[in-house]
């Protein structure tokens, strides 16, 4: 017997307390349970200016155009390759996968109008909409999805999320390794409009998984004609979402326009969306307040309280994510858990949250954020604090460092603390360096680089401690757990624990909600007691949008969507 899956197989919700709402906490609606199959998670209301409702009742502006500031330039915009969150404004608006997210954070049909699974959740069949087109007007079929998945599984593609397919699809890893053919891979186009995935094991969260951009289709013709350069010119960047890129001004701006070949184009009102790069957040805020731009992705933390009080268009949305620092567990002396424990104990998270980041945050003692609910209970509820507290435990930190062989910091090598170019991140990094020097008696050197250079060094293991963070790409603990799984492509801490790996392997295939939650907590408790990362705080998203713009929304994975955007007369 087949079961229809017109909404998420594992319905989830954010817990009622927001984790790091810079403009004030907002409560989520009634939490959902993991086994509430037909329900969908509800996103909390965003903070909006009081006069927005009046503006929204007005007529549409003649020019349906807006300018939105991005504060970081992505390292690439190929959905098959990047795992960079700075690319999401492009990927979420220029492309669409089998499923997508609506304004309530609910998984809804995208290119697929319906889907179903067999009883043991190992075969998923998707039925594509009739008449799908690429932005250049050519037909988009199930074969495009097969091509794209195989491209991800080709080593030369250097897909940073390859494991999101290879770990799940039959013979995906074998194809990557060169020991299986394309015909052996469990992704088949049964006809132009029917796509079938055959999985290695039951995967209760597979519908959540295919919402990730690594599962998005890319056009074979433009890639074969342009190679890796297909993402560097507007003419070659063929997509299938509500918008298409019509102009690329590297380092300055990207211009998106409505894609008339999108299947739901008749319901896309916005005609032109300009993403402008302004790396300095204070400069971006000035442009916003002067009316030069209509929205800003990143808000200077020191201005959050003022902007909220002034009803300036500050929006806060929940984020299933954590701000933390990676510790290179493969490099001495950071391969010693006692050293990592000392670094964690020496941090005053309360001071970082209140005085440096200036957010209403919750201290993080683990890499895994709260926010996934099973039977009305967050899976992280009741977990240990791992000996950490909101303020620094200086004596405990010194004791741990001494036990590791560095009493009062003697003999400890100069710690290299690196971060990516960002005003807010810089303030936090400098504060952490000062805490370590004062509380541990060690020397810290702080350095920064543009994101692409910084992240390449982190992935290569060419760092000691590095600013990082994670916003889940799909709302399920399995978006976090691979981050510390041995040799996983997302494991930038180079941590390894066979016991942890074994539990994660169990979680991947566990269909019973209660057992799933139990195993998740067990995995979190095991790994976090080893201090492989430096947890700082659990976060939320804030951004600015003018009151004459309606329909823009952001989901807890931090993806921001403009397909429902409208510019009101003002």
């Amino acid at each position: 017997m087949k079961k229809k899956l017109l909404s998420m197989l594992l319905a989830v919700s954010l817990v009622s307390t927001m984790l790091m709402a810079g403009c004030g906490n907002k409560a989520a609606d009634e939490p959902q349970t993991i086994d509430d199959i037909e329900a969908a998670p509800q996103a909390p209301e965003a903070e909006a200016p009081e006069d927005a409702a009046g503006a929204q009742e007005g007529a549409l502006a003649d020019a349906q155009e807006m300018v939105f500031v991005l504060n970081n330039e992505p390292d690439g915009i190929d959905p098959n390759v990047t795992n960079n969150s700075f690319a999401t404004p492009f990927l979420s608006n220029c492309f669409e996968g089998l499923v997508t997210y609506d304004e309530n954070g609910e998984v809804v049909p995208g290119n697929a109008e319906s889907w179903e699974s067999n009883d043991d959740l190992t075969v998923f069949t998707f039925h594509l909409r009739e008449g799908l087109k690429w932005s250049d007007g050519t037909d988009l079929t199930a074969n495009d999805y097969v091509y794209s998945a195989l491209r991800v599984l080709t080593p030369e593609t250097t897909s940073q999320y390859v494991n999101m397919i290879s770990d799940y699809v039959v013979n995906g890893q074998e194809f990557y390794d060169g020991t299986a053919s394309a015909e052996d891979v469990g992704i088949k186009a049964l006809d132009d409009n029917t796509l079938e995935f055959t999985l290695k094991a039951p995967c209760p969260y597979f519908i959540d998984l295919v919402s990730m951009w690594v599962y998005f289709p890319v056009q074979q013709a433009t890639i074969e004609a342009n190679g890796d350069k297909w993402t560097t010119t507007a003419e070659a960047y063929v997509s299938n979402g509500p918008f298409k890129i019509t102009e690329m001004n590297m380092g300055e701006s990207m211009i998106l326009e409505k894609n008339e070949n999108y299947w739901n184009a008749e319901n896309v009102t916005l005609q032109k969306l300009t993403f402008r790069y302004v790396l300095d957040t204070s400069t971006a805020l000035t442009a916003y307040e002067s009316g030069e731009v209509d929205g800003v992705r990143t808000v200077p933390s020191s201005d959050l309280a003022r902007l909220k009080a002034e009803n300036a268009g500050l929006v806060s949305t929940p984020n299933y994510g954590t701000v933390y620092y990676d510790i290179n567990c493969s490099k001495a002396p950071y391969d010693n858990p006692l050293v990592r424990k000392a670094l964690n104990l020496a941090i005053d998270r309360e001071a970082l949250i209140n005085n440096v980041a200036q957010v209403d945050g919750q201290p993080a003692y683990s890499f895994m954020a709260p926010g996934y609910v099973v039977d009305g209970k967050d899976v992280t509820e009741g977990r240990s604090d791992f000996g950490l507290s909101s303020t620094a435990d200086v004596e405990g930190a010194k004791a741990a460092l001494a036990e590791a062989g560095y009493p009062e910091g003697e003999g400890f090598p100069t710690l290299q603390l690196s971060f990516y170019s960002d005003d807010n991140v810089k303030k936090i990094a400098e504060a952490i360096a000062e805490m370590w020097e004062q509380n541990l008696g060690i020397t810290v050197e702080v350095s920064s680089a543009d994101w692409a250079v910084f992240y390449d060094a982190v992935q290569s293991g060419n760092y000691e401690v590095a600013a990082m963070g994670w916003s889940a790409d799909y709302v399920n603990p399995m978006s976090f757990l691979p981050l510390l799984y041995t040799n996983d492509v997302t494991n930038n801490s180079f941590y390894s624990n066979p016991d942890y790996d074994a539990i994660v392997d169990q979680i991947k295939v566990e269909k019973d909600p209660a057992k799933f939650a139990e195993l998740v907590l067990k995995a979190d408790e095991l790994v976090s007691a080893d201090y492989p990362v430096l947890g700082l705080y659990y976060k939320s998203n804030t951004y600015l949008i003018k009151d004459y713009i309606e329909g823009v929304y952001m989901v807890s994975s931090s993806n921001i969507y403009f397909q429902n955007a409208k510019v009101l007369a003002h």
Side-chain angles (χ1 to χ4, degrees):
M1 177 181 177
K2 291 186 176 180
K3 177 168 54 180
K4 282 287 183 179
L5 299 174
L6 296 180
S7 59
M8 284 190 292
L9 277 164
L10 301 181
V12 298
S13 72
L14 292 166
V15 288
S16 58
T17 303
M18 282 236 339
L19 304 180
M20 191 198 79
C23 61
N25 290 339
K26 295 289 286 186
D29 292 334
E30 187 67 23
Q32 285 185 292
T33 64
I34 194 171
D35 49 352
D36 183 6
I37 299 299
E38 296 302 324
Q42 297 295 311
E45 280 187 18
E47 294 280 357
E50 292 177 356
D51 58 349
Q56 291 171 3
E57 293 173 1
L60 294 179
D62 291 335
Q64 288 297 308
E65 302 178 359
M66 65 173 293
V67 179
F68 191 84
V69 171
L70 302 178
N71 304 97
N72 296 93
E73 190 170 2
D75 58 7
I77 53 175
D78 184 333
N80 287 171
V81 175
T82 187
N83 70 349
N84 181 202
S85 61
F86 299 145
T88 60
F90 302 98
L91 303 182
S92 297
N93 294 284
C94 294
F95 285 89
E96 183 173 275
L98 296 165
V99 299
T100 186
Y101 289 94
D102 68 7
E103 62 275 7
N104 295 317
E106 177 185 355
V107 170
V108 294
N111 272 194
E113 61 183 1
S114 65
W115 51 88
E116 62 210 27
S117 76
N118 62 351
D119 286 338
D120 69 357
L121 305 179
T122 58
V123 179
F124 288 78
T125 306
F126 294 84
H127 304 282
L128 302 189
R129 300 177 187 277
E130 295 284 345
L132 291 174
K133 301 285 185 183
W134 291 104
S135 57
D136 65 0
T138 58
D139 292 339
L140 189 161
T141 71
N143 287 298
D144 291 305
Y145 277 92
V146 176
Y147 164 78
S148 302
L150 293 176
R151 179 173 179 255
V152 170
L153 293 170
T154 300
E156 290 74 20
T157 303
T158 65
S159 173
Q160 298 187 57
Y161 269 149
V162 62
N163 63 306
M164 292 294 99
I165 298 181
S166 63
D167 285 356
Y168 295 91
V169 174
V170 165
N171 284 321
Q173 184 63 49
E174 288 77 4
F175 180 80
Y176 183 88
D177 293 336
T179 60
S181 67
E183 290 72 25
D184 297 326
V185 178
I187 306 175
K188 307 293 183 187
L190 303 185
D191 56 46
D192 283 351
N193 294 312
T194 310
L195 183 68
E196 180 185 84
F197 289 85
T198 303
L199 309 182
K200 301 177 184 179
C203 184
Y205 53 92
F206 189 65
I207 300 303
D208 299 311
L209 202 63
V210 298
S211 71
M212 295 180 61
W213 60 77
V214 71
Y215 280 88
F216 288 0
V218 295
Q219 191 194 60
Q220 183 174 358
T222 192
I223 293 172
E224 290 181 346
N226 299 283
D228 292 340
K229 302 295 184 183
W230 79 276
T231 62
T232 61
T233 65
E235 294 75 20
Y237 197 67
V238 178
S239 58
N240 74 319
F243 298 94
K244 60 184 178 181
I245 295 179
T246 57
E247 190 174 323
M248 293 185 178
N249 303 299
M250 295 303 178
E252 296 181 7
S253 66
M254 296 274 231
I255 296 178
L256 282 60
E257 295 185 16
K258 176 179 175 177
N259 175 13
E260 66 277 8
N261 290 306
Y262 176 55
W263 68 267
N264 197 25
E266 64 183 66
N267 291 314
V268 177
T269 302
L270 193 65
Q271 297 293 317
K272 183 178 180 180
L273 170 61
T274 299
F275 284 132
R276 182 184 297 179
Y277 296 123
V278 181
L279 302 187
D280 182 78
T281 55
S282 296
T283 301
L285 178 58
T286 299
Y288 176 82
E289 294 190 306
S290 68
E292 184 181 340
V293 302
D294 306 299
V296 176
R297 176 62 185 88
T298 304
V299 185
S301 57
S302 58
D303 290 282
L304 289 170
R306 174 182 66 81
L307 292 167
K308 180 190 177 185
E310 295 175 357
N311 293 311
L314 189 68
V315 179
S316 177
T317 63
N319 182 298
Y320 189 35
T322 307
V323 173
Y324 61 85
Y325 274 44
D326 272 327
I327 302 174
N328 192 337
C329 300
S330 68
K331 180 177 292 188
Y334 312 101
D335 55 352
N336 186 337
L338 286 169
V339 170
R340 302 195 298 263
K341 181 179 181 179
L343 295 177
N344 269 274
L345 286 169
I347 295 300
D348 187 335
R349 291 165 178 80
E350 192 172 294
L352 287 176
I353 292 168
N354 296 330
N355 304 329
V356 183
Q358 296 181 321
V359 294
D360 186 8
Q362 178 182 337
Y365 309 133
S366 165
F367 76 114
M368 180 179 289
Y372 189 79
V373 176
V374 175
D375 291 333
K377 179 182 177 181
D378 193 287
V379 295
T380 63
E381 185 177 327
R383 67 177 165 183
S384 170
D385 59 14
F386 312 107
L388 304 177
S389 62
S390 61
T391 56
D393 178 359
V394 178
E395 294 307 313
K398 288 182 176 179
L401 197 62
E403 189 178 351
Y406 305 99
E408 299 297 326
E410 293 178 12
F412 196 86
T414 298
L415 188 153
Q416 302 297 323
L417 179 63
S418 54
F419 67 95
Y420 55 92
S421 301
D422 180 279
D423 292 342
N424 293 336
V425 176
K426 178 182 179 181
K427 290 191 296 184
I428 293 173
E430 291 175 343
I432 289 174
E434 185 176 347
M435 290 175 187
W436 281 337
E437 290 184 337
Q438 290 184 352
N439 297 338
L440 293 174
I442 64 177
T443 301
V444 181
E445 288 186 359
V446 181
S447 63
S448 68
D450 290 339
W451 171 261
V453 175
F454 163 82
Y455 193 53
D456 181 67
V458 171
Q459 289 184 303
S460 302
N462 187 24
Y463 80 97
E464 293 181 356
V465 183
M468 198 50 64
W470 191 258
S471 294
D473 299 298
Y474 57 102
V475 186
N476 187 285
M478 275 306 303
S479 187
F480 281 93
L481 295 172
L483 297 174
L484 295 171
Y485 189 94
T486 301
N487 294 328
D488 190 273
V489 68
T490 63
N491 183 351
N492 294 324
S493 288
F494 303 96
Y495 173 81
S496 180
N497 185 328
D499 294 333
Y500 174 78
D501 296 346
I503 299 173
V504 175
D505 288 339
Q506 293 180 61
I507 293 169
K508 286 181 180 180
V509 299
E510 182 55 59
K511 293 187 285 186
D512 177 70
K515 182 64 174 177
F516 178 90
E518 177 186 327
L519 289 170
V520 167
L521 184 59
K522 183 178 179 181
D524 184 36
E525 295 271 3
L526 177 67
V527 74
S528 296
D530 248 356
Y531 309 100
V533 302
L534 180 79
L536 299 182
Y537 53 86
Y538 301 119
K539 61 181 183 175
S540 69
N541 286 307
T542 54
Y543 61 95
L544 288 165
I545 200 80
K546 293 292 187 179
D547 61 4
Y548 51 79
I549 304 289
E550 68 174 17
V552 176
Y553 63 94
M554 182 178 288
V555 297
S556 60
S557 62
S558 299
N559 292 357
I560 188 167
Y561 294 87
F562 291 86
Q563 69 183 61
N564 295 340
K566 298 177 181 178
V567 184
L568 305 175
H570 58 283

